[in-house]
Amino acid sequence: MIRVLLVHDSCLVRSVLAEWLGREPGLGVHDTPWHSASGQVLSLRPDVCAADLECSDPQGAPPLADLRAAGPGPTPPRLLVLASANRPGLLKRAAEAGALGYVDKAGPPERLVGAIRRVAEGRRFVDESLGFGFLKAAEMPLTRRELSVLSLAAGGASVAEIAGSLHLSHGTVRNYMAAITRKTGARNRIDAIRISRGEGWL
């Protein structure tokens, strides 16, 4: 039996998908929103975490590393993500978090079942339709920390609020914003947010 934890912030989508996956032989499926995912990993000890990359995290990014770090014992859960090619910033975050599986959310649900089984065996699965997104991710100039800063800024956070959320000094946040503005070729912070959203980095 492959123990699967489905992580998705939409209750309706999560419930329907979990029920559908649960009908597959050999899969034991539980589901949870992002805010309680780490605790569920500790209690359920899943073999695979299948996580939607769209989440309501206040930093604007899914805490993927928490899913693997929360796993007890020497072998953390294997990570599979539900992704879109037009969000290369999230694909980059997933790759940095050590995801083994990448399933296109626009694809048929049978692809997800096959991906879960493959990832449970420790093998990589990447939907071909996400290739363009990975190419864009490789070209993205911003680091993970810069993306976190910009995501908070895009949500309307001030320098002080960003510093508090990321445990940085105000000067460090300003330095990050200056680097972001330079790397994106923007005129200012607002322009950097506009450019980054247009490129799918946020």
Side-chain angles (χ1 to χ4, degrees):
M1 178 68 71
I2 300 171
R3 298 184 303 275
V4 180
L5 179 62
L6 177 65
V7 185
H8 202 299
D9 271 346
S10 170
C11 182
L12 177 60
V13 173
R14 186 177 72 243
S15 300
V16 171
L17 190 54
E19 182 180 354
W20 186 84
L21 287 172
R23 297 172 184 167
E24 288 291 318
L27 297 186
V29 183
H30 297 268
D31 64 277
T32 183
W34 268 106
H35 69 81
S36 57
S38 293
Q40 289 295 302
V41 169
L42 284 171
S43 62
L44 297 172
R45 305 178 71 172
D47 301 302
V48 176
C49 282
D52 180 41
L53 286 181
E54 305 282 344
C55 81
S56 55
D57 184 78
Q59 294 187 21
L64 292 166
D66 292 351
L67 297 181
R68 306 196 75 233
T75 305
R78 294 187 171 105
L79 181 59
L80 178 152
V81 296
L82 309 177
S84 299
N86 63 354
R87 298 296 302 276
L90 292 177
L91 285 173
K92 183 175 183 178
R93 290 176 187 268
E96 290 173 342
L100 268 182
Y102 301 82
V103 177
D104 191 342
K105 293 200 291 187
E110 291 78 13
R111 297 283 286 173
L112 177 57
V113 175
I116 288 172
R117 297 190 189 281
R118 189 177 180 93
V119 168
E121 296 172 353
R123 296 188 293 161
R124 185 172 296 278
F125 180 96
V126 181
D127 255 329
E128 292 181 1
S129 54
L130 296 176
F132 177 73
F134 277 105
L135 287 175
K136 294 286 287 182
E139 298 170 354
M140 190 168 60
L142 303 180
T143 66
R144 179 170 51 182
R145 179 60 87 183
E146 287 165 348
L147 281 171
S148 295
V149 169
L150 191 59
S151 294
L152 287 170
S158 65
V159 169
E161 290 168 335
I162 295 172
S165 294
L166 300 180
H167 308 291
L168 301 172
S169 70
H170 292 193
T172 299
V173 172
R174 292 190 183 94
N175 288 341
Y176 275 127
M177 287 306 308
I180 291 165
T181 302
R182 184 183 72 253
K183 289 181 177 182
T184 57
R187 297 184 302 274
N188 50 43
R189 179 170 73 168
I190 301 301
D191 197 32
I193 293 169
R194 178 188 62 78
I195 291 170
S196 297
R197 281 178 170 161
E199 293 290 340
W201 300 340
L202 291 178

